[in-house]
């Protein structure tokens, strides 16, 4: 069971709340509730009322957009220390996508009513929130630019770096669960599954990637090099050995 101080510590690390003072964070934490989900369990569905937001404490969450014929498009994966459901919470409208736990997950839930009450008491917080939202818009603009201009392998490397960062892995070699399909990876970088398969096969050939039971193992430095390129591919790099 998380204490109010534990929750406050996590809220302090959320970019959207970066401008909130210690007292405001403490008040938010005091009204928070801990929630636990098993792998595959739904957290909320598109169309649900946006009456709260969540902070992920542990585990990973998949954000999915479904269509009427039963197909799904994965929008992103989120990990510990990130905020979930904040857009619907802020504008009071319905959820725009589904969210489900990829792993056993612990989340902290904060109601919209509690959040708005604190905002109304301290109007200056609205300016801090606006700045954080603008920063997010800039990140989104960069992502759109990457999809439009960067080669597939650069986009794929950046996606894996995001997934690695969300998992909390660090060091020259990183391991992340391989429970994301190539079709999902392709959807996340706007590419075809066959091209993602071809890129990952090439990475395995040069030693940048190893596929072990249940996990991907990456040479982080090599992945960062590919992710920093505006042109080119893994084929331009010397062979790597993951130990």
């Amino acid at each position: 069971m998380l204490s109010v101080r534990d929750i406050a510590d996590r809220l302090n690390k959320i970019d959207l709340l970066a401008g909130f003072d210690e007292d405001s964070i403490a008040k938010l934490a005091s009204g928070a509730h801990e929630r636990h989900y098993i792998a595959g369990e739904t957290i909320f569905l598109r169309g649900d009322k946006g009456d709260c937001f969540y902070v992920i404490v542990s585990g990973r969450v998949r954000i999915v957009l479904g269509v009427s014929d039963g197909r799904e498009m994965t929008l992103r994966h989120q990990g510990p220390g990130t905020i979930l459901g904040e857009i619907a919470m802020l504008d009071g409208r319905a959820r725009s996508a589904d969210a489900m736990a990829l792993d056993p997950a612990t989340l902290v839930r904060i109601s919209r009513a509690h959040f708005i009450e604190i905002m109304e008491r301290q109007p200056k917080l609205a300016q801090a929130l606006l700045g954080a939202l603008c920063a997010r818009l800039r990140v989104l603009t960069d992502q759109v630019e990457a999809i439009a201009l960067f080669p597939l392998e650069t986009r794929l490397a950046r996606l894996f770096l995001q997934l690695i960062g969300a998992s909390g892995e660090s060091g020259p070699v990183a391991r992340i669960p391989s429970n994301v399909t190539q079709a999902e990876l392709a959807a996340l970088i706007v590419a075809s599954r066959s091209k993602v398969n071809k890129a990952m096969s090439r990475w395995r050939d040069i030693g940048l990637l190893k596929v072990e039971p249940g996990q991907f193992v990456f040479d982080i430095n090599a992945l960062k090099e590919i992710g920093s390129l505006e042109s080119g591919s893994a084929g331009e790099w010397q062979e790597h050995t993951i130990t």
Side-chain angles (χ1 to χ4, degrees), residues 115-135:
F115 185 84
I116 296 299
E117 180 185 2
I118 293 172
M119 291 281 290
E120 288 177 342
R121 289 180 180 177
Q122 299 190 54
K124 65 180 182 180
L125 296 180
Q127 184 174 356
L129 187 62
L130 181 61
L133 288 171
C134 289

Side-chain angles (χ1 to χ4, degrees), residues 152-160 185 189 196 199-200 203:
L152 180 144
E153 291 194 21
T154 300
R155 304 199 307 269
L156 185 60
R158 291 185 173 195
L159 172 59
F160 275 121
L185 293 171
I189 62 170
V196 168
M200 292 180 69
W203 290 1

